[in-house]
Amino acid sequence: MSAVTAARDAKKQEVVKEDAMWLQKELINKNYHEVATAHAAGRKVSATFVPGNLNELLMCFDFARRLPETDALQNGLRRKSGKMILDAERDGHSEDVCTYVKADLGMMLQNTGPTGEPMPSPDLLLLSYTGCFTFMKWFELVRQKYDCETVMLHVPYQGDGKINPAMRKYVVDQIKEKVIPACERISGKKFDIDLLRQYMRESVKAEENLVRVLQSAKHKPSPIDGYFGAVYYIGPMFTAFRGVPEASRFYDMLWQEVEARMRAGKGPITPEGEMTEEKYRLVVEGPPNWTSFRDFWKMFYEEGAVIVASTYAKVGGVYDFGFRHDPEHPLESLADYCLGCYTNLNFPQRIDMICKYIDEYQADGLLINSIKSCNSFSAGQLLILREVEKRTGKPAAFVESDLVDPRYFSGANIKNRLESYLQMIKQKRAAAGAGAAH
């Protein structure tokens, strides 16, 4: 290989990121180091899920905070999850089990976290049940392995599309009577409600800026990608940093970058640099594929397709419809947060949300990434697709992949479907233009 070819290939591999994206990576790695060294530092470790996570409350007890879905997706991004899934299957877990679960169980078998540091056993498993039944089975398996205490915060499903006072009280009572006493006992620290309020004040600052960033995609051209790019934006908020000053600084920096791009009329930053021409504006439902994340994103930006809004970017909190943590009513605020997560909404609410996004963000249509092993997202997606098409008159389509199992990502199939879908949008536009001319 010539020196010129080598230099060109190296440049090709170089990933372009905003400053805020690099800071986000530092924060995530810092948290993994804190988790890895927690027991040596005399701290306890909690494990909890992203939707409905009580991060501010856990910080009151100085837990080092692990999030198993984040561990799985980080291992997927680093191309480590395939072996972990095979190890879990060899250990007796079915091919049809959620691949996040198998990646997590496989990681436990090798006892090494995504950054290569050890992954200590948790002292507390805190389950906020927000619409995904798999979470319950997942923590049963983890509890069996580590014999650690499991606390279940049961969150009622929004069956009729609203949060009523009885639902809120039911969650608050559990926080007071079950969650806080367990945290006090395991951590050896007393609960301080003023400390919780302090963390929530920081949460609100970050939440305000996150919403500004996500809603900047209403601008044409959109300065962000609200799906692939949003993965970096939601990371600190949805994991172990909501409520800490570093998160507030991250979202300040992020908003300044995005606002500057919006004022300059610039498009999103992609792994290969700035996207110069916006040809299609899409709304996406369903999580991304992590093992081929860059290749997946590339299929979109090479076609000039920007995702202006996505439901995945709301899985850890639906802030853009008005929710903020409330320091004046901290426990009620935690309850409302859990009750309002995307996976806890009913189908009419999800459909309404997608239709609003298509309208308010002037999108050309809806694309669904149907995840083979994720029932909480994939169940009912055909119903969502048909209803959104009917209500908006905009075309919708499916692609299929998986979360962190590289066996279920077919780049050629997805590329063909995406190209066909964008062709359909083009034809609809042409037909609409011809109709308007007459």
Side-chain angles (χ1 to χ4, degrees), residues 316-351:
V318 186
Y319 298 103
D320 53 343
F321 288 99
F323 172 79
R324 299 289 182 276
H325 282 85
D326 181 0
E328 300 308 311
H329 305 93
L331 299 185
E332 293 77 9
S333 174
L334 289 173
D336 284 351
Y337 167 66
C338 292
L339 286 157
C341 285
Y342 180 74
T343 48
N344 209 49
L345 306 182
N346 67 19
F347 280 117
Q349 286 172 294
R350 294 188 193 194
I351 291 162

PDB file of all heavy atoms in Angstrom, residues 316-351:
ATOM      1  N   GLY A 316     -36.115   8.141  26.969  1.00  0.00           N
ATOM      2  CA  GLY A 316     -35.752   8.448  28.353  1.00  0.00           C
ATOM      3  C   GLY A 316     -36.417   9.694  28.883  1.00  0.00           C
ATOM      4  O   GLY A 316     -35.999  10.253  29.891  1.00  0.00           O
ATOM      5  N   GLY A 317     -37.483  10.155  28.216  1.00  0.00           N
ATOM      6  CA  GLY A 317     -38.213  11.334  28.687  1.00  0.00           C
ATOM      7  C   GLY A 317     -38.749  12.163  27.547  1.00  0.00           C
ATOM      8  O   GLY A 317     -38.031  12.499  26.613  1.00  0.00           O
ATOM      9  N   VAL A 318     -40.051  12.493  27.643  1.00  0.00           N
ATOM     10  CA  VAL A 318     -40.701  13.258  26.557  1.00  0.00           C
ATOM     11  C   VAL A 318     -40.722  14.734  26.959  1.00  0.00           C
ATOM     12  O   VAL A 318     -41.751  15.270  27.333  1.00  0.00           O
ATOM     13  CB  VAL A 318     -42.126  12.707  26.278  1.00  0.00           C
ATOM     14  CG1 VAL A 318     -42.754  13.395  25.072  1.00  0.00           C
ATOM     15  CG2 VAL A 318     -42.057  11.201  26.016  1.00  0.00           C
ATOM     16  N   TYR A 319     -39.550  15.352  26.891  1.00  0.00           N
ATOM     17  CA  TYR A 319     -39.419  16.728  27.370  1.00  0.00           C
ATOM     18  C   TYR A 319     -40.022  17.750  26.413  1.00  0.00           C
ATOM     19  O   TYR A 319     -40.420  18.832  26.823  1.00  0.00           O
ATOM     20  CB  TYR A 319     -37.940  17.058  27.602  1.00  0.00           C
ATOM     21  CG  TYR A 319     -37.299  16.189  28.648  1.00  0.00           C
ATOM     22  CD1 TYR A 319     -36.451  15.139  28.281  1.00  0.00           C
ATOM     23  CD2 TYR A 319     -37.550  16.391  29.998  1.00  0.00           C
ATOM     24  CE1 TYR A 319     -35.868  14.333  29.245  1.00  0.00           C
ATOM     25  CE2 TYR A 319     -36.972  15.576  30.968  1.00  0.00           C
ATOM     26  CZ  TYR A 319     -36.138  14.550  30.581  1.00  0.00           C
ATOM     27  OH  TYR A 319     -35.569  13.744  31.530  1.00  0.00           O
ATOM     28  N   ASP A 320     -40.057  17.430  25.126  1.00  0.00           N
ATOM     29  CA  ASP A 320     -40.489  18.449  24.161  1.00  0.00           C
ATOM     30  C   ASP A 320     -42.001  18.683  24.183  1.00  0.00           C
ATOM     31  O   ASP A 320     -42.495  19.563  23.508  1.00  0.00           O
ATOM     32  CB  ASP A 320     -40.005  18.139  22.736  1.00  0.00           C
ATOM     33  CG  ASP A 320     -40.380  16.755  22.259  1.00  0.00           C
ATOM     34  OD1 ASP A 320     -40.721  15.895  23.091  1.00  0.00           O
ATOM     35  OD2 ASP A 320     -40.345  16.518  21.039  1.00  0.00           O
ATOM     36  N   PHE A 321     -42.727  17.907  24.987  1.00  0.00           N
ATOM     37  CA  PHE A 321     -44.158  18.187  25.167  1.00  0.00           C
ATOM     38  C   PHE A 321     -44.428  18.803  26.533  1.00  0.00           C
ATOM     39  O   PHE A 321     -45.556  18.802  27.015  1.00  0.00           O
ATOM     40  CB  PHE A 321     -44.990  16.915  24.951  1.00  0.00           C
ATOM     41  CG  PHE A 321     -45.028  16.517  23.496  1.00  0.00           C
ATOM     42  CD1 PHE A 321     -44.187  15.521  23.018  1.00  0.00           C
ATOM     43  CD2 PHE A 321     -45.856  17.159  22.589  1.00  0.00           C
ATOM     44  CE1 PHE A 321     -44.191  15.165  21.678  1.00  0.00           C
ATOM     45  CE2 PHE A 321     -45.862  16.818  21.245  1.00  0.00           C
ATOM     46  CZ  PHE A 321     -45.029  15.818  20.785  1.00  0.00           C
ATOM     47  N   GLY A 322     -43.377  19.351  27.157  1.00  0.00           N
ATOM     48  CA  GLY A 322     -43.592  20.201  28.329  1.00  0.00           C
ATOM     49  C   GLY A 322     -43.117  19.679  29.663  1.00  0.00           C
ATOM     50  O   GLY A 322     -43.000  20.458  30.614  1.00  0.00           O
ATOM     51  N   PHE A 323     -42.825  18.379  29.796  1.00  0.00           N
ATOM     52  CA  PHE A 323     -42.414  17.892  31.115  1.00  0.00           C
ATOM     53  C   PHE A 323     -41.047  18.453  31.506  1.00  0.00           C
ATOM     54  O   PHE A 323     -40.129  18.485  30.700  1.00  0.00           O
ATOM     55  CB  PHE A 323     -42.341  16.355  31.156  1.00  0.00           C
ATOM     56  CG  PHE A 323     -41.742  15.854  32.446  1.00  0.00           C
ATOM     57  CD1 PHE A 323     -42.501  15.802  33.600  1.00  0.00           C
ATOM     58  CD2 PHE A 323     -40.389  15.527  32.520  1.00  0.00           C
ATOM     59  CE1 PHE A 323     -41.920  15.411  34.809  1.00  0.00           C
ATOM     60  CE2 PHE A 323     -39.807  15.130  33.725  1.00  0.00           C
ATOM     61  CZ  PHE A 323     -40.579  15.069  34.871  1.00  0.00           C
ATOM     62  N   ARG A 324     -40.946  18.903  32.769  1.00  0.00           N
ATOM     63  CA  ARG A 324     -39.665  19.239  33.381  1.00  0.00           C
ATOM     64  C   ARG A 324     -39.678  18.696  34.812  1.00  0.00           C
ATOM     65  O   ARG A 324     -40.718  18.705  35.469  1.00  0.00           O
ATOM     66  CB  ARG A 324     -39.426  20.756  33.453  1.00  0.00           C
ATOM     67  CG  ARG A 324     -39.390  21.481  32.125  1.00  0.00           C
ATOM     68  CD  ARG A 324     -38.143  21.172  31.322  1.00  0.00           C
ATOM     69  NE  ARG A 324     -38.149  21.938  30.094  1.00  0.00           N
ATOM     70  CZ  ARG A 324     -38.784  21.571  28.971  1.00  0.00           C
ATOM     71  NH1 ARG A 324     -39.457  20.434  28.947  1.00  0.00           N
ATOM     72  NH2 ARG A 324     -38.758  22.316  27.894  1.00  0.00           N
ATOM     73  N   HIS A 325     -38.531  18.263  35.309  1.00  0.00           N
ATOM     74  CA  HIS A 325     -38.454  17.902  36.727  1.00  0.00           C
ATOM     75  C   HIS A 325     -38.735  19.159  37.560  1.00  0.00           C
ATOM     76  O   HIS A 325     -38.304  20.251  37.197  1.00  0.00           O
ATOM     77  CB  HIS A 325     -37.079  17.324  37.052  1.00  0.00           C
ATOM     78  CG  HIS A 325     -36.927  15.902  36.608  1.00  0.00           C
ATOM     79  ND1 HIS A 325     -36.561  15.561  35.327  1.00  0.00           N
ATOM     80  CD2 HIS A 325     -37.131  14.725  37.275  1.00  0.00           C
ATOM     81  CE1 HIS A 325     -36.528  14.234  35.219  1.00  0.00           C
ATOM     82  NE2 HIS A 325     -36.870  13.711  36.374  1.00  0.00           N
ATOM     83  N   ASP A 326     -39.451  18.992  38.640  1.00  0.00           N
ATOM     84  CA  ASP A 326     -39.927  20.131  39.431  1.00  0.00           C
ATOM     85  C   ASP A 326     -39.332  20.071  40.838  1.00  0.00           C
ATOM     86  O   ASP A 326     -39.753  19.253  41.659  1.00  0.00           O
ATOM     87  CB  ASP A 326     -41.460  20.091  39.499  1.00  0.00           C
ATOM     88  CG  ASP A 326     -42.041  21.260  40.282  1.00  0.00           C
ATOM     89  OD1 ASP A 326     -41.255  22.101  40.773  1.00  0.00           O
ATOM     90  OD2 ASP A 326     -43.274  21.316  40.418  1.00  0.00           O
ATOM     91  N   PRO A 327     -38.353  20.943  41.150  1.00  0.00           N
ATOM     92  CA  PRO A 327     -37.720  20.922  42.473  1.00  0.00           C
ATOM     93  C   PRO A 327     -38.700  21.209  43.614  1.00  0.00           C
ATOM     94  O   PRO A 327     -38.439  20.840  44.756  1.00  0.00           O
ATOM     95  CB  PRO A 327     -36.656  22.027  42.390  1.00  0.00           C
ATOM     96  CG  PRO A 327     -36.484  22.317  40.939  1.00  0.00           C
ATOM     97  CD  PRO A 327     -37.772  21.977  40.273  1.00  0.00           C
ATOM     98  N   GLU A 328     -39.807  21.892  43.304  1.00  0.00           N
ATOM     99  CA  GLU A 328     -40.790  22.209  44.350  1.00  0.00           C
ATOM    100  C   GLU A 328     -41.633  20.996  44.740  1.00  0.00           C
ATOM    101  O   GLU A 328     -42.175  20.930  45.835  1.00  0.00           O
ATOM    102  CB  GLU A 328     -41.712  23.362  43.891  1.00  0.00           C
ATOM    103  CG  GLU A 328     -40.987  24.651  43.568  1.00  0.00           C
ATOM    104  CD  GLU A 328     -40.070  25.100  44.711  1.00  0.00           C
ATOM    105  OE1 GLU A 328     -40.532  25.126  45.873  1.00  0.00           O
ATOM    106  OE2 GLU A 328     -38.884  25.383  44.440  1.00  0.00           O
ATOM    107  N   HIS A 329     -41.781  20.057  43.833  1.00  0.00           N
ATOM    108  CA  HIS A 329     -42.547  18.829  44.097  1.00  0.00           C
ATOM    109  C   HIS A 329     -41.717  17.636  43.621  1.00  0.00           C
ATOM    110  O   HIS A 329     -42.066  16.970  42.647  1.00  0.00           O
ATOM    111  CB  HIS A 329     -43.901  18.868  43.370  1.00  0.00           C
ATOM    112  CG  HIS A 329     -44.713  20.078  43.694  1.00  0.00           C
ATOM    113  ND1 HIS A 329     -44.672  21.239  42.936  1.00  0.00           N
ATOM    114  CD2 HIS A 329     -45.567  20.321  44.727  1.00  0.00           C
ATOM    115  CE1 HIS A 329     -45.472  22.142  43.477  1.00  0.00           C
ATOM    116  NE2 HIS A 329     -46.034  21.615  44.566  1.00  0.00           N
ATOM    117  N   PRO A 330     -40.599  17.366  44.288  1.00  0.00           N
ATOM    118  CA  PRO A 330     -39.624  16.431  43.720  1.00  0.00           C
ATOM    119  C   PRO A 330     -40.122  14.997  43.548  1.00  0.00           C
ATOM    120  O   PRO A 330     -39.870  14.380  42.513  1.00  0.00           O
ATOM    121  CB  PRO A 330     -38.441  16.503  44.689  1.00  0.00           C
ATOM    122  CG  PRO A 330     -38.964  17.134  45.929  1.00  0.00           C
ATOM    123  CD  PRO A 330     -40.122  17.985  45.531  1.00  0.00           C
ATOM    124  N   LEU A 331     -40.810  14.442  44.551  1.00  0.00           N
ATOM    125  CA  LEU A 331     -41.236  13.043  44.431  1.00  0.00           C
ATOM    126  C   LEU A 331     -42.359  12.896  43.402  1.00  0.00           C
ATOM    127  O   LEU A 331     -42.377  11.942  42.612  1.00  0.00           O
ATOM    128  CB  LEU A 331     -41.672  12.491  45.796  1.00  0.00           C
ATOM    129  CG  LEU A 331     -40.582  12.483  46.877  1.00  0.00           C
ATOM    130  CD1 LEU A 331     -41.090  11.811  48.147  1.00  0.00           C
ATOM    131  CD2 LEU A 331     -39.307  11.798  46.397  1.00  0.00           C
ATOM    132  N   GLU A 332     -43.283  13.861  43.391  1.00  0.00           N
ATOM    133  CA  GLU A 332     -44.357  13.842  42.384  1.00  0.00           C
ATOM    134  C   GLU A 332     -43.772  13.988  40.977  1.00  0.00           C
ATOM    135  O   GLU A 332     -44.255  13.386  40.023  1.00  0.00           O
ATOM    136  CB  GLU A 332     -45.364  14.977  42.656  1.00  0.00           C
ATOM    137  CG  GLU A 332     -46.175  14.837  43.921  1.00  0.00           C
ATOM    138  CD  GLU A 332     -45.417  15.193  45.196  1.00  0.00           C
ATOM    139  OE1 GLU A 332     -44.280  15.729  45.110  1.00  0.00           O
ATOM    140  OE2 GLU A 332     -45.953  14.928  46.291  1.00  0.00           O
ATOM    141  N   SER A 333     -42.710  14.796  40.919  1.00  0.00           N
ATOM    142  CA  SER A 333     -42.045  15.015  39.637  1.00  0.00           C
ATOM    143  C   SER A 333     -41.392  13.726  39.127  1.00  0.00           C
ATOM    144  O   SER A 333     -41.469  13.393  37.936  1.00  0.00           O
ATOM    145  CB  SER A 333     -40.992  16.109  39.839  1.00  0.00           C
ATOM    146  OG  SER A 333     -40.213  16.287  38.723  1.00  0.00           O
ATOM    147  N   LEU A 334     -40.770  12.966  40.038  1.00  0.00           N
ATOM    148  CA  LEU A 334     -40.197  11.671  39.645  1.00  0.00           C
ATOM    149  C   LEU A 334     -41.289  10.731  39.135  1.00  0.00           C
ATOM    150  O   LEU A 334     -41.094  10.012  38.154  1.00  0.00           O
ATOM    151  CB  LEU A 334     -39.470  11.022  40.829  1.00  0.00           C
ATOM    152  CG  LEU A 334     -38.156  11.668  41.279  1.00  0.00           C
ATOM    153  CD1 LEU A 334     -37.653  11.021  42.565  1.00  0.00           C
ATOM    154  CD2 LEU A 334     -37.098  11.588  40.184  1.00  0.00           C
ATOM    155  N   ALA A 335     -42.446  10.757  39.814  1.00  0.00           N
ATOM    156  CA  ALA A 335     -43.566   9.902  39.395  1.00  0.00           C
ATOM    157  C   ALA A 335     -44.047  10.294  38.002  1.00  0.00           C
ATOM    158  O   ALA A 335     -44.254   9.430  37.137  1.00  0.00           O
ATOM    159  CB  ALA A 335     -44.707  10.013  40.406  1.00  0.00           C
ATOM    160  N   ASP A 336     -44.209  11.593  37.762  1.00  0.00           N
ATOM    161  CA  ASP A 336     -44.683  12.044  36.444  1.00  0.00           C
ATOM    162  C   ASP A 336     -43.682  11.696  35.344  1.00  0.00           C
ATOM    163  O   ASP A 336     -44.065  11.369  34.222  1.00  0.00           O
ATOM    164  CB  ASP A 336     -44.938  13.558  36.458  1.00  0.00           C
ATOM    165  CG  ASP A 336     -46.231  13.916  37.179  1.00  0.00           C
ATOM    166  OD1 ASP A 336     -47.001  12.985  37.508  1.00  0.00           O
ATOM    167  OD2 ASP A 336     -46.465  15.107  37.424  1.00  0.00           O
ATOM    168  N   TYR A 337     -42.402  11.783  35.687  1.00  0.00           N
ATOM    169  CA  TYR A 337     -41.368  11.433  34.715  1.00  0.00           C
ATOM    170  C   TYR A 337     -41.500   9.962  34.300  1.00  0.00           C
ATOM    171  O   TYR A 337     -41.509   9.636  33.113  1.00  0.00           O
ATOM    172  CB  TYR A 337     -39.976  11.708  35.303  1.00  0.00           C
ATOM    173  CG  TYR A 337     -38.866  11.091  34.507  1.00  0.00           C
ATOM    174  CD1 TYR A 337     -38.592  11.535  33.215  1.00  0.00           C
ATOM    175  CD2 TYR A 337     -38.105  10.038  35.010  1.00  0.00           C
ATOM    176  CE1 TYR A 337     -37.588  10.944  32.451  1.00  0.00           C
ATOM    177  CE2 TYR A 337     -37.105   9.449  34.266  1.00  0.00           C
ATOM    178  CZ  TYR A 337     -36.852   9.909  32.983  1.00  0.00           C
ATOM    179  OH  TYR A 337     -35.880   9.320  32.233  1.00  0.00           O
ATOM    180  N   CYS A 338     -41.623   9.081  35.285  1.00  0.00           N
ATOM    181  CA  CYS A 338     -41.757   7.650  34.982  1.00  0.00           C
ATOM    182  C   CYS A 338     -43.025   7.370  34.181  1.00  0.00           C
ATOM    183  O   CYS A 338     -43.002   6.611  33.202  1.00  0.00           O
ATOM    184  CB  CYS A 338     -41.797   6.836  36.273  1.00  0.00           C
ATOM    185  SG  CYS A 338     -40.251   6.834  37.191  1.00  0.00           S
ATOM    186  N   LEU A 339     -44.115   7.982  34.599  1.00  0.00           N
ATOM    187  CA  LEU A 339     -45.410   7.739  33.953  1.00  0.00           C
ATOM    188  C   LEU A 339     -45.429   8.230  32.507  1.00  0.00           C
ATOM    189  O   LEU A 339     -46.160   7.696  31.674  1.00  0.00           O
ATOM    190  CB  LEU A 339     -46.528   8.429  34.746  1.00  0.00           C
ATOM    191  CG  LEU A 339     -46.906   7.762  36.072  1.00  0.00           C
ATOM    192  CD1 LEU A 339     -47.559   8.766  37.025  1.00  0.00           C
ATOM    193  CD2 LEU A 339     -47.847   6.591  35.824  1.00  0.00           C
ATOM    194  N   GLY A 340     -44.603   9.247  32.192  1.00  0.00           N
ATOM    195  CA  GLY A 340     -44.676   9.883  30.881  1.00  0.00           C
ATOM    196  C   GLY A 340     -43.665   9.408  29.859  1.00  0.00           C
ATOM    197  O   GLY A 340     -43.597   9.966  28.762  1.00  0.00           O
ATOM    198  N   CYS A 341     -42.846   8.386  30.194  1.00  0.00           N
ATOM    199  CA  CYS A 341     -41.849   7.914  29.221  1.00  0.00           C
ATOM    200  C   CYS A 341     -42.521   7.334  27.974  1.00  0.00           C
ATOM    201  O   CYS A 341     -43.624   6.793  28.050  1.00  0.00           O
ATOM    202  CB  CYS A 341     -40.941   6.867  29.857  1.00  0.00           C
ATOM    203  SG  CYS A 341     -39.751   7.605  30.979  1.00  0.00           S
ATOM    204  N   TYR A 342     -41.827   7.405  26.836  1.00  0.00           N
ATOM    205  CA  TYR A 342     -42.425   7.010  25.552  1.00  0.00           C
ATOM    206  C   TYR A 342     -42.967   5.592  25.565  1.00  0.00           C
ATOM    207  O   TYR A 342     -44.059   5.335  25.065  1.00  0.00           O
ATOM    208  CB  TYR A 342     -41.400   7.172  24.418  1.00  0.00           C
ATOM    209  CG  TYR A 342     -41.963   6.788  23.067  1.00  0.00           C
ATOM    210  CD1 TYR A 342     -42.867   7.636  22.417  1.00  0.00           C
ATOM    211  CD2 TYR A 342     -41.619   5.592  22.450  1.00  0.00           C
ATOM    212  CE1 TYR A 342     -43.406   7.288  21.193  1.00  0.00           C
ATOM    213  CE2 TYR A 342     -42.151   5.241  21.226  1.00  0.00           C
ATOM    214  CZ  TYR A 342     -43.043   6.086  20.601  1.00  0.00           C
ATOM    215  OH  TYR A 342     -43.583   5.736  19.390  1.00  0.00           O
ATOM    216  N   THR A 343     -42.226   4.663  26.158  1.00  0.00           N
ATOM    217  CA  THR A 343     -42.676   3.260  26.157  1.00  0.00           C
ATOM    218  C   THR A 343     -43.863   3.037  27.088  1.00  0.00           C
ATOM    219  O   THR A 343     -44.439   1.951  27.106  1.00  0.00           O
ATOM    220  CB  THR A 343     -41.528   2.315  26.565  1.00  0.00           C
ATOM    221  OG1 THR A 343     -40.898   2.827  27.741  1.00  0.00           O
ATOM    222  CG2 THR A 343     -40.512   2.174  25.452  1.00  0.00           C
ATOM    223  N   ASN A 344     -44.209   4.057  27.885  1.00  0.00           N
ATOM    224  CA  ASN A 344     -45.368   3.934  28.775  1.00  0.00           C
ATOM    225  C   ASN A 344     -46.611   4.597  28.187  1.00  0.00           C
ATOM    226  O   ASN A 344     -47.661   4.643  28.831  1.00  0.00           O
ATOM    227  CB  ASN A 344     -45.046   4.547  30.144  1.00  0.00           C
ATOM    228  CG  ASN A 344     -45.820   3.897  31.265  1.00  0.00           C
ATOM    229  OD1 ASN A 344     -45.846   2.674  31.371  1.00  0.00           O
ATOM    230  ND2 ASN A 344     -46.474   4.683  32.096  1.00  0.00           N
ATOM    231  N   LEU A 345     -46.507   5.122  26.971  1.00  0.00           N
ATOM    232  CA  LEU A 345     -47.650   5.767  26.311  1.00  0.00           C
ATOM    233  C   LEU A 345     -48.445   4.724  25.530  1.00  0.00           C
ATOM    234  O   LEU A 345     -47.902   3.724  25.072  1.00  0.00           O
ATOM    235  CB  LEU A 345     -47.167   6.853  25.342  1.00  0.00           C
ATOM    236  CG  LEU A 345     -46.238   7.930  25.914  1.00  0.00           C
ATOM    237  CD1 LEU A 345     -45.890   8.949  24.830  1.00  0.00           C
ATOM    238  CD2 LEU A 345     -46.860   8.637  27.105  1.00  0.00           C
ATOM    239  N   ASN A 346     -49.745   5.002  25.343  1.00  0.00           N
ATOM    240  CA  ASN A 346     -50.549   4.064  24.549  1.00  0.00           C
ATOM    241  C   ASN A 346     -50.404   4.378  23.056  1.00  0.00           C
ATOM    242  O   ASN A 346     -49.784   5.371  22.667  1.00  0.00           O
ATOM    243  CB  ASN A 346     -52.017   4.063  25.014  1.00  0.00           C
ATOM    244  CG  ASN A 346     -52.727   5.383  24.744  1.00  0.00           C
ATOM    245  OD1 ASN A 346     -52.293   6.183  23.919  1.00  0.00           O
ATOM    246  ND2 ASN A 346     -53.829   5.623  25.427  1.00  0.00           N
ATOM    247  N   PHE A 347     -50.993   3.525  22.209  1.00  0.00           N
ATOM    248  CA  PHE A 347     -50.803   3.700  20.760  1.00  0.00           C
ATOM    249  C   PHE A 347     -51.389   5.007  20.229  1.00  0.00           C
ATOM    250  O   PHE A 347     -50.742   5.682  19.425  1.00  0.00           O
ATOM    251  CB  PHE A 347     -51.344   2.488  19.990  1.00  0.00           C
ATOM    252  CG  PHE A 347     -50.390   1.332  20.000  1.00  0.00           C
ATOM    253  CD1 PHE A 347     -50.733   0.138  20.602  1.00  0.00           C
ATOM    254  CD2 PHE A 347     -49.127   1.443  19.446  1.00  0.00           C
ATOM    255  CE1 PHE A 347     -49.835  -0.926  20.640  1.00  0.00           C
ATOM    256  CE2 PHE A 347     -48.228   0.396  19.479  1.00  0.00           C
ATOM    257  CZ  PHE A 347     -48.581  -0.789  20.075  1.00  0.00           C
ATOM    258  N   PRO A 348     -52.602   5.410  20.639  1.00  0.00           N
ATOM    259  CA  PRO A 348     -53.086   6.715  20.154  1.00  0.00           C
ATOM    260  C   PRO A 348     -52.141   7.864  20.491  1.00  0.00           C
ATOM    261  O   PRO A 348     -51.934   8.768  19.678  1.00  0.00           O
ATOM    262  CB  PRO A 348     -54.431   6.869  20.875  1.00  0.00           C
ATOM    263  CG  PRO A 348     -54.898   5.474  21.117  1.00  0.00           C
ATOM    264  CD  PRO A 348     -53.639   4.696  21.390  1.00  0.00           C
ATOM    265  N   GLN A 349     -51.527   7.824  21.695  1.00  0.00           N
ATOM    266  CA  GLN A 349     -50.572   8.877  22.059  1.00  0.00           C
ATOM    267  C   GLN A 349     -49.334   8.840  21.161  1.00  0.00           C
ATOM    268  O   GLN A 349     -48.834   9.879  20.727  1.00  0.00           O
ATOM    269  CB  GLN A 349     -50.129   8.710  23.521  1.00  0.00           C
ATOM    270  CG  GLN A 349     -51.172   9.107  24.548  1.00  0.00           C
ATOM    271  CD  GLN A 349     -50.716   8.720  25.951  1.00  0.00           C
ATOM    272  OE1 GLN A 349     -50.589   7.549  26.279  1.00  0.00           O
ATOM    273  NE2 GLN A 349     -50.453   9.707  26.781  1.00  0.00           N
ATOM    274  N   ARG A 350     -48.827   7.634  20.894  1.00  0.00           N
ATOM    275  CA  ARG A 350     -47.639   7.509  20.041  1.00  0.00           C
ATOM    276  C   ARG A 350     -47.947   8.004  18.627  1.00  0.00           C
ATOM    277  O   ARG A 350     -47.136   8.699  18.005  1.00  0.00           O
ATOM    278  CB  ARG A 350     -47.169   6.054  19.990  1.00  0.00           C
ATOM    279  CG  ARG A 350     -46.650   5.513  21.311  1.00  0.00           C
ATOM    280  CD  ARG A 350     -46.026   4.147  21.102  1.00  0.00           C
ATOM    281  NE  ARG A 350     -45.794   3.452  22.368  1.00  0.00           N
ATOM    282  CZ  ARG A 350     -45.034   2.386  22.502  1.00  0.00           C
ATOM    283  NH1 ARG A 350     -44.421   1.873  21.448  1.00  0.00           N
ATOM    284  NH2 ARG A 350     -44.877   1.796  23.665  1.00  0.00           N
ATOM    285  N   ILE A 351     -49.117   7.623  18.127  1.00  0.00           N
ATOM    286  CA  ILE A 351     -49.514   8.041  16.768  1.00  0.00           C
ATOM    287  C   ILE A 351     -49.681   9.555  16.713  1.00  0.00           C
ATOM    288  O   ILE A 351     -49.220  10.211  15.765  1.00  0.00           O
ATOM    289  CB  ILE A 351     -50.798   7.300  16.339  1.00  0.00           C
ATOM    290  CG1 ILE A 351     -50.489   5.806  16.121  1.00  0.00           C
ATOM    291  CG2 ILE A 351     -51.410   7.916  15.075  1.00  0.00           C
ATOM    292  CD1 ILE A 351     -51.703   4.900  16.120  1.00  0.00           C
TER     293      ILE A 351
END
